[in-house]
Amino acid sequence: MKSKDARERWRAIEKAVKHYAEKRDVVAATVDELEAACRALVAKRSNALKLQVEAMASAKAALHDAIGAAPEWFEQPKTQTAHGVKFGYRKLADRYVFDEAKTLALIEREGGRLRSC
C-alpha cells in the first residue's frame, strides 16, 4: 500500500497534469484561430497575388527583350544593377560535352585502358 505522502505527491502530479492540459488546449485553440485567419487572408488575396505575378512575368519578359535589343550596353560589365534588380548577361557554368563515338574510339584505341589526365 502506498503511503499517505506518496498519495499526496500523486495528487499533486494529477493537478499539474490537469493544469498543463488546460494550458495546452488554450494554445491549440489559438493556433486554430490563427490558421483559420491565415486561410481566410490567403483566400482573400490569392486572386490579386496571381494577377501581380502575371504582371511581374510580363515585365520580366519585356526586360529580357529590351536587354536583347541592346547588347552593346552589356559588354563590360556584363551585368548592371538598378532599382535593386541585377540584370544583363551572366556567364553560364562550364560544362563538358562528350562525343560518344569519339570517346568509344579512343577507349578502343587505348585497348580499354583509361589514361590519367
Side-chain angles (χ1 to χ4, degrees):
M1 176 144 222
K2 304 274 186 195
S3 70
K4 182 176 179 181
D5 189 44
R7 286 191 302 261
E8 288 296 321
R9 288 194 308 263
W10 182 254
R11 284 189 202 107
I13 291 171
E14 282 186 326
K15 184 177 177 182
V17 168
K18 181 180 179 186
H19 182 70
Y20 168 75
E22 290 168 352
K23 300 304 177 190
R24 182 193 58 198
D25 292 344
V26 170
V27 169
T30 302
V31 168
D32 290 344
E33 289 175 17
L34 285 172
E35 288 176 344
C38 186
R39 284 191 300 273
L41 184 60
V42 167
K44 180 179 178 182
R45 301 288 183 160
S46 64
N47 287 337
L49 183 60
K50 287 176 187 175
L51 293 174
Q52 292 166 2
V53 169
E54 289 172 2
M56 184 179 69
S58 176
K60 184 177 181 180
L63 173 61
H64 184 269
D65 292 343
I67 291 170
E72 67 276 7
W73 285 97
F74 302 97
E75 292 172 1
Q76 283 297 339
K78 292 182 181 273
T79 60
Q80 307 284 334
T81 302
H83 308 287
V85 177
K86 188 173 180 181
F87 58 96
Y89 296 105
R90 67 181 172 100
K91 181 182 177 197
L92 296 175
D94 292 335
R95 56 186 182 149
Y96 298 101
V97 178
F98 296 99
D99 182 334
E100 188 175 339
K102 287 182 181 178
T103 303
L104 289 174
L106 179 63
I107 291 171
E108 288 175 11
R109 188 179 79 211
E110 293 293 323
R113 292 173 290 133
L114 296 177
R115 296 182 299 170
S116 62
C117 295

